[in-house]
Amino acid sequence: MTPKTTIFFILFLGFIFLSHFAFAKEADQEILQFNLAGFQENGKKSWELNSQTANIFQDTVKLSNIIAKSYANKEEMTLVADEGFYDKTKGAMHLEKNVKAVTASGATLNTNSLDWDQKKQLITTKDDVSIQKDNITAQAKGAEG
């Protein structure tokens, strides 16, 4: 390699290296043991979200090892998942990997992903689901509740 080619090659690699870091989207903050809650007008807690880690971006929070609880309906519900994100502007959460929803009465839903709209208190998925309660098991493609 000529000296001119070597310098060009080094500059080219430097440009690639620097452009990678210049365009990589890093979290504004990274937090361990993240907790977030929502309250009703009367001051009663309607939902809470706990996560082992949270990478906070402008409009979203990327979460890991999630436990979310809903208290607003007649029956309390707990959601768990390995990963997900919370959209701060929409008040919605997307959960994925080992998603499980358990109601206070003992019904259990298992799926690969789940969307939770906290304002509407609605969970939905388009994935396969398995629902168990007492001695009954139901399987379906998609769910809403």
Side-chain angles (χ1 to χ4, degrees):
M1 238 193 275
T2 66
K4 202 176 201 180
T5 306
T6 303
I7 291 171
F8 175 78
F9 184 72
I10 291 170
L11 289 173
F12 178 76
L13 286 178
F15 175 76
I16 298 287
F17 179 76
L18 290 174
S19 66
H20 170 74
F21 287 103
F23 296 110
K25 177 71 173 155
E26 292 190 28
D28 297 331
Q29 293 178 324
E30 185 174 20
I31 298 173
L32 300 176
Q33 299 302 318
F34 178 76
N35 180 277
L36 183 64
F39 295 87
Q40 298 173 10
E41 289 180 16
N42 63 5
K44 184 179 177 185
K45 188 186 289 187
S46 61
W47 61 272
E48 71 178 316
L49 169 66
N50 294 290
S51 175
Q52 183 178 3
T53 63
N55 291 312
I56 302 173
F57 298 90
Q58 183 175 348
D59 295 329
T60 60
V61 181
K62 184 179 176 189
L63 307 162
S64 70
N65 298 321
I66 303 154
I67 300 173
K69 296 185 179 194
S70 173
Y71 306 106
N73 291 334
K74 294 176 184 176
E75 185 169 38
E76 293 181 8
M77 180 179 57
T78 301
L79 295 169
V80 296
D82 292 346
E83 298 176 2
F85 68 86
Y86 176 71
D87 186 320
K88 297 185 282 185
T89 59
K90 294 179 182 175
M93 186 168 46
H94 175 77
L95 303 173
E96 52 189 39
K97 297 183 181 173
N98 300 311
V99 179
K100 185 177 197 176
V102 180
T103 64
S105 65
T108 303
L109 176 141
N110 292 291
T111 187
N112 291 326
S113 71
L114 191 69
D115 293 302
W116 178 28
D117 184 324
Q118 74 177 24
K119 293 176 184 171
K120 295 179 183 177
Q121 290 298 303
L122 180 67
I123 60 170
T124 59
T125 183
K126 293 180 180 179
D127 290 336
D128 292 336
V129 295
S130 174
I131 302 170
Q132 296 91 24
K133 180 154 186 199
D134 300 326
N135 293 327
I136 300 171
T137 299
Q139 296 186 357
K141 179 80 170 171
E144 183 176 301

